[in-house]
Amino acid sequence: MSTPTITSLALLTPGNFADDAPCTGLEETLQLFEYGERLGFDGAWIRQRHLEHGVGSAAVFLAAAGQRTQRIELGTAVIPIGYESPFRLAEDLALADVLSRGRLQVGFSTGMLHADLLGDLVYDGDWRSFDLSYGRIARLVDHLRGDYLGGPDTVIHSPGNVQRPRLQPHNPGLVERIWYGGGSLRSARWAAENGLNLLSGNIVSGEDTDDFTTAQLNLLSEYRRSLGPDRTAARVALGRVIVPFDSADAATRARYRDYAASRHERTLKPQTIAALGGKRILFAPDVIGTAEQILEQLAADPVVAQVSELRLELPYEFHREEYEQILHDVRHLIAPELGWNPASPALQEAGR
């Protein structure tokens, strides 16, 4: 076993809310971002979810989060590109990034979950014939580069202004902070070849192996092998569901155990997921227990040893106080043992 060395620690939250009180849940998620910043976390990421009790527009949510925080990176994990207009989404992300003073980290995926319900509502026409895969992400990235539209003499007139047209606001730094949530060798290779950073979590495609760890190591190796010579600073972030018990009461510990047990069977063999096109999927087990037990599990995970950025994936449908307890224990009892230092000691919270 080797001791992992983590230099960047982020949280990823699903942004839960109750059907009859969405503002309460979304406000608590914003407060969780603030809490993570006070603890010294380097990043806070939000999932984008359609038709569910979660954030349907990561760009809108992060625009709000940018006004509630000062330092922490603000991420999307991930935006399914199939439902988005590349140009319009690029505008929203660029605006949110400027408002946050350049803190956005934008993750994408392909695919369209719930396409049978949403496809005809999003598109006027037969969306099944559109390119809703990698090419759509590439178009969005091209828009963020800020190339001028039309010929060299093309200008637009607005009150008090004449200018060459391009996506506004233009922030050239954002294009370097685009990520792809890759679960297959093909997607990892595409992300590397197109200059995107890589997100890899607790779900990967089963390609030539039934072992999750082997599959994820192969994925990271393929990504790094495919990087161009100008992308030596490409970032790789690893996601793990980590749930420490240490400061939880007995009832909460039982709830954590029940949650992990309900998800354990899916880790025992490859799963075929119809919503993902019948792909053969491998799941990583959740990492739960005391801080000492969790550190033993992370030290034994060869994938963790391959990365320096760790994303703490918070479970679905937990309560705010449980999320805060998990973040507190990871920050104080686990992350420092992995070599991590808080991003800003002046903003640390001394205790709960």
Side-chain angles (χ1 to χ4, degrees), residues 31-42:
Q31 292 173 4
L32 194 67
F33 273 49
E34 294 177 290
Y35 183 70
E37 181 169 78
R38 293 198 303 274
L39 287 178
F41 275 68
D42 300 287

Side-chain angles (χ1 to χ4, degrees), residues 137-288:
I137 299 174
R139 285 168 54 197
L140 186 145
V141 174
D142 282 342
H143 294 317
L144 291 177
R145 297 189 195 283
D147 293 340
Y148 290 109
L149 305 179
D153 298 326
T154 302
V155 297
I156 57 173
H157 297 262
S158 58
N161 189 20
V162 177
Q163 66 188 73
R164 294 188 65 187
R166 66 176 176 187
L167 183 142
Q168 295 289 354
H170 174 54
N171 181 3
L174 180 56
V175 76
E176 302 298 325
R177 289 178 269 116
I178 306 300
W179 300 69
Y180 188 78
S184 68
L185 295 176
R186 178 173 175 243
S187 64
R189 184 164 53 250
W190 180 85
E193 292 172 349
N194 286 270
L196 277 60
N197 302 302
L198 181 68
L199 299 170
S200 185
N202 61 350
I203 303 175
V204 297
S205 295
E207 300 173 77
D208 301 324
T209 181
D210 290 347
D211 179 66
F212 175 90
T213 298
T214 300
Q216 194 163 49
L217 286 172
N218 290 342
L219 188 149
L220 297 185
S221 177
E222 181 66 13
Y223 175 76
R224 287 166 172 152
R225 185 191 66 78
S226 303
L227 284 171
D230 58 339
R231 287 289 292 168
T232 56
R235 296 172 64 180
V236 176
L238 178 68
R240 287 288 186 267
V241 177
I242 300 173
V243 183
F245 290 171
D246 298 82
S247 66
D249 59 26
T252 303
R253 290 188 179 200
R255 172 171 162 76
Y256 292 167
R257 290 191 182 97
D258 289 344
Y259 174 83
S262 71
R263 289 155 49 93
H264 183 65
E265 185 176 354
R266 69 179 190 169
T267 71
L268 301 179
K269 61 181 180 181
Q271 306 292 312
T272 301
I273 309 297
L276 298 178
K279 290 183 179 179
R280 191 166 168 275
I281 302 298
L282 306 175
F283 291 89
D286 299 334
V287 185
I288 69 168

Side-chain angles (χ1 to χ4, degrees), residues 307-340:
V307 301
S308 60
E309 299 198 36
L310 181 64
R311 256 187 343 167
L312 179 62
E313 299 191 358
L314 295 172
Y316 285 82
E317 307 304 332
F318 276 27
H319 303 299
R320 175 187 167 188
E321 59 272 18
E322 294 168 332
Y323 288 141
E324 290 187 354
Q325 177 261 311
I326 292 170
L327 294 181
H328 175 272
D329 285 4
V330 168
R331 181 260 176 266
H332 288 286
L333 303 177
I334 296 173
E337 299 300 318
L338 300 176
W340 175 80

Side-chain angles (χ1 to χ4, degrees), residues 4 7 9 12 31 51 60 76 87 94 99 103 109 125 165 183 193 250 272 276 278 280 315 325 335 344 347:
T7 60
L9 181 67
L12 168 62
Q31 292 173 4
L51 301 181
V60 172
T76 70
F87 187 84
L99 289 172
R103 290 187 283 134
S109 70
E193 292 172 349
T272 301
L276 298 178
R280 191 166 168 275
Q325 177 261 311
S344 179
L347 295 176

